[in-house]
Amino acid sequence: MSSIAASVPLPAPRRAWLTDLPVLLVAVVWGASYLAAKGITTTHTVVAVLVLRFAVVLPVLVVAGWRRLRALSPAQWRGAGVLGLVLSGIFLLETYGVVHTSATNAGLIISLTMILTPLAEAAVTRTPPPRAFLAAAALSVTGVVLLTQGGGFTAPSLGDLLMLLAAIARTVHVLAMSRIKAVQSADSLSLTTVQLGGAVAVFALLSALPGTGASPWAVAVGFGPREWAGLLFLSVFCTLIAFFVQMWAVRRTSPSRVSLLLGTEPLWAAAAGITLAGDRLGPLGLAGVVLVLAGTAWGRRAAERTDA
């Protein structure tokens, strides 16, 4: 990361906000995506909504990157396909999870990926993480425990556990991308397109099985204006535009700066849940929010210092 960042000329201070603002807006829409998904999804429509969400944007990505898709080698296709399978698991866990927990909990628990990924990388490479990072990880985990116990100490909800599994799956996805050699030289647009295509294929197959809920067609027909607005928000803003903004921003500023701005996602998830959905956290929950945000920010800085 540090070598890439060094090769990218940083914008002048007066113009840095022109690059930072779109990236920050991506973090805002990602934070709001948990509430949007919760608003249009039920236990019986998770798979169908996922089919619709990604089927809307996939043709655009295919058309935009058709030449580069054709240039992928068979090994790159296989590697991206494996990543697509992992990605499908992430979205299934996240979407089922958000149905069974609050948008605030979902956004904050998934932020543990920023702590779990360096820990997993340290385990794989057998390189002990710095003490500051371990302290930040402990702070974040404590925050999640308090967050999920905002109404008193009880067993975490099914949704909380699913979001924790989603954070672990995200960690596996990041490690796989760094370990599968074939995809490391692949064009990022092509890699994303193949992954989403593989995920859509998994969702489509699941939707055809009995007992997996309503069909995508039935859900699409039953959607009203509010549900379609939520679906298009998830498809266009949270997926398509967000991806292109990231590609655009990384070419104009440092990856570390982009990562730092996108790392504010859990803050916006909590803000959306509290202000729009009326989530009530209680004193323990609010303390958990503070600890999660502080721990992930501290851990990110500690990891960046280690990579520098």
Side-chain angles (χ1 to χ4, degrees):
M1 178 176 288
S2 57
S3 60
I4 295 175
S7 65
V8 180
L10 295 178
R14 291 182 179 179
R15 296 185 178 181
W17 68 271
L18 293 175
T19 302
D20 291 349
L21 183 58
V23 179
L24 186 61
L25 290 176
V26 168
V28 172
V29 298
W30 278 357
S33 67
Y34 301 100
L35 185 58
K38 190 174 182 67
I40 66 171
T41 313
T42 67
T43 304
H44 301 292
T45 63
V46 167
V47 176
V49 167
L50 287 172
V51 171
L52 295 172
R53 173 180 176 178
F54 295 107
V56 169
V57 300
L58 190 59
V60 178
L61 293 174
V62 170
V63 171
W66 178 246
R67 290 184 179 179
R68 284 170 284 186
L69 276 172
R70 294 179 62 186
L72 291 178
S73 67
Q76 288 173 328
W77 275 93
R78 289 192 297 271
V82 170
L83 292 175
L85 292 177
V86 180
L87 192 65
S88 67
I90 293 171
F91 281 114
L92 285 168
L93 288 168
E94 285 185 357
T95 311
Y96 274 113
V98 80
V99 169
H100 293 288
T101 190
S102 68
T104 300
N105 280 25
L108 288 164
I109 293 173
I110 202 68
S111 71
L112 287 179
T113 303
M114 290 182 284
I115 296 295
L116 294 174
T117 301
L119 287 176
E121 181 69 18
V124 171
T125 60
R126 297 182 180 180
T127 303
R131 292 181 179 179
F133 185 85
L134 293 176
L139 195 66
S140 295
V141 171
T142 302
V144 168
V145 172
L146 293 177
L147 174 69
T148 58
Q149 306 303 313
F153 285 97
T154 59
S157 71
L158 173 62
D160 295 332
L161 295 176
L162 289 174
M163 293 308 300
L164 180 58
L165 290 176
I168 295 172
R170 278 196 185 188
T171 299
V172 172
H173 186 257
V174 172
L175 290 180
M177 281 196 293
S178 67
R179 296 288 166 180
I180 300 177
K181 294 183 179 180
V183 304
Q184 293 175 7
S185 59
D187 170 71
S188 57
L189 175 60
S190 302
L191 182 61
T192 299
T193 303
V194 175
Q195 287 185 80
L196 289 181
V200 169
V202 171
F203 302 147
L205 288 173
L206 288 176
S207 69
L209 297 177
T212 55
S215 69
W217 172 253
V219 171
V221 170
F223 270 1
R226 184 184 68 83
E227 288 79 12
W228 274 110
L231 181 69
L232 292 176
F233 173 76
L234 291 170
S235 299
V236 177
F237 288 94
C238 300
T239 305
L240 187 62
I241 293 178
F243 171 74
F244 282 108
V245 166
Q246 287 181 82
M247 289 186 62
W248 169 82
V250 166
R251 286 167 170 78
R252 287 162 176 79
T253 185
S254 71
S256 296
R257 192 180 184 94
V258 172
S259 176
L260 182 64
L261 292 167
L262 293 179
T264 63
E265 175 190 345
L267 175 63
W268 304 112
I274 293 170
T275 60
L276 299 178
D279 291 347
R280 296 291 182 265
L281 299 178
L284 286 178
L286 289 173
V289 170
V290 173
L291 292 182
V292 170
L293 295 176
T296 51
W298 185 13
R300 194 184 310 114
R301 287 195 298 269
E304 287 175 353
R305 285 195 296 268
T306 302
D307 293 337

